[in-house]
Amino acid sequence: EAGVVQSPRYKIIEKKQPVAFWCNPISGHNTLYWYLQNLGQGPELLIRYENEEAVDDSQLPKDRFSAERLKGVDSTLKIQPAELGDSAVYLCASSLGTGVLSTDTQYFGPGTRLTVL
Amino acid sequence: AQTVTQSQPEMSVQEAETVTLSCTYDTSESDYYLFWYKQPPSRQMILVIRQEAYKQQNATENRFSVNFQKAAKSFSLKISDSQLGDAAMYFCAFSGYSTLTFGKGTMLLVSP
């Protein structure tokens, strides 16, 4: 069974340019997560989707970040315009169930390393 | 809000030896889950072990085991018979009625 797929693996852009990351979760997984991981830190949640609904986007900087999960399967995270401080690894994860209590194990993709020059 | 603390930025172990990574957490929730994830240089976060808070028995997965002390809010990971492939960043994580919260990680170095 294929794991969580992310693309691209690496992206280098100049500041003020737009960038987009794509994630395809494990087949059948209803919940999808986007995390931001700064160097030397643990991942921090940006947004969580249950099916196609964003149920927790409280940590997403909505002035420049946007996300979508059309049809409740794959998802795209966009930054426009990118800033120097956005340089980080962007991780996608998925889990099987939905609900308030996060009991399901999250499975992670390999991440996208973004460098903003 | 819950917090997860990993007080050891880096640990070293020799092959075949045993090492213990520490993790403490703070929460007011009674039902929750705890995880240890491994992140090698490839960046892929890999689940190592999972513990349900309502279970008193400590979880084990082959060479990996945990010491879960609910009253002390402590969740340490023991790696027995360490192998070179165990070298990675290890993250402790808490999951309850909100999001998965990670600690800052412990870098495990394994020497021959």
Side-chain angles (χ1 to χ4, degrees):
Chain A
E1 179 181 314
V4 177
V5 179
Q6 288 189 250
S7 68
R9 292 294 310 274
Y10 303 88
K11 188 74 176 178
I12 301 174
I13 61 172
E14 303 222 333
K15 63 181 180 181
K16 300 185 181 179
Q17 293 300 305
V19 64
F21 315 123
W22 177 79
C23 172
N24 194 40
I26 293 172
S27 178
H29 279 198
N30 298 306
T31 302
L32 183 147
Y33 313 77
W34 282 103
Y35 287 90
L36 166 70
Q37 186 177 22
N38 286 307
L39 186 64
Q41 303 290 321
E44 298 175 355
L45 183 72
L46 288 172
I47 189 167
R48 174 169 65 103
Y49 282 94
E50 290 185 4
N51 299 305
E52 63 275 5
E53 182 183 359
V55 296
D56 184 355
D57 63 356
S58 56
Q59 300 304 310
L60 189 72
K62 298 180 184 63
D63 56 337
R64 297 184 301 107
F65 287 65
S66 64
E68 61 182 13
R69 191 185 184 197
L70 301 177
K71 301 181 182 179
V73 182
D74 58 343
S75 175
T76 302
L77 177 69
K78 298 178 181 177
I79 308 175
Q80 182 170 9
E83 297 179 352
L84 295 176
D86 296 332
S87 295
V89 174
Y90 292 82
L91 295 168
C92 180
S94 69
S95 63
L96 183 61
T98 59
V100 175
L101 181 58
S102 304
T103 62
D104 286 333
T105 297
Q106 294 184 28
Y107 296 90
F108 285 79
T112 297
R113 182 180 295 280
L114 174 67
T115 302
V116 182
L117 303 176
Chain B
Q2 50 268 9
T3 59
V4 178
T5 302
Q6 293 180 252
S7 59
Q8 305 154 317
E10 187 177 287
M11 292 286 285
S12 296
V13 66
Q14 287 194 315
E15 262 189 305
E17 297 296 309
T18 296
V19 65
T20 299
L21 308 184
S22 300
C23 173
T24 59
Y25 59 94
D26 189 22
T27 184
S28 57
E29 299 174 16
S30 56
D31 292 329
Y32 52 87
Y33 293 74
L34 295 161
F35 304 84
W36 279 98
Y37 280 91
K38 167 186 177 181
Q39 187 177 42
S42 67
R43 297 198 309 268
Q44 184 108 31
M45 296 280 278
I46 302 165
L47 177 68
V48 175
I49 200 164
R50 159 188 163 128
Q51 173 80 44
E52 290 86 348
Y54 63 85
K55 289 186 177 179
Q56 292 188 337
Q57 186 173 6
N58 289 323
T60 62
E61 285 289 340
N62 301 314
R63 298 182 294 107
F64 299 87
S65 61
V66 299
N67 183 4
F68 174 47
Q69 301 289 329
K70 190 172 184 180
K73 295 181 181 175
S74 170
F75 182 62
S76 61
L77 175 70
K78 186 172 81 171
I79 306 174
S80 304
D81 186 25
S82 297
Q83 301 175 0
L84 293 177
D86 294 334
M89 182 72 89
Y90 285 79
F91 290 96
C92 176
F94 172 101
S95 177
Y97 284 92
S98 57
T99 61
L100 189 61
T101 301
F102 288 85
K104 291 190 175 182
T106 296
M107 175 64 75
L108 179 64
L109 306 174
V110 183
S111 55

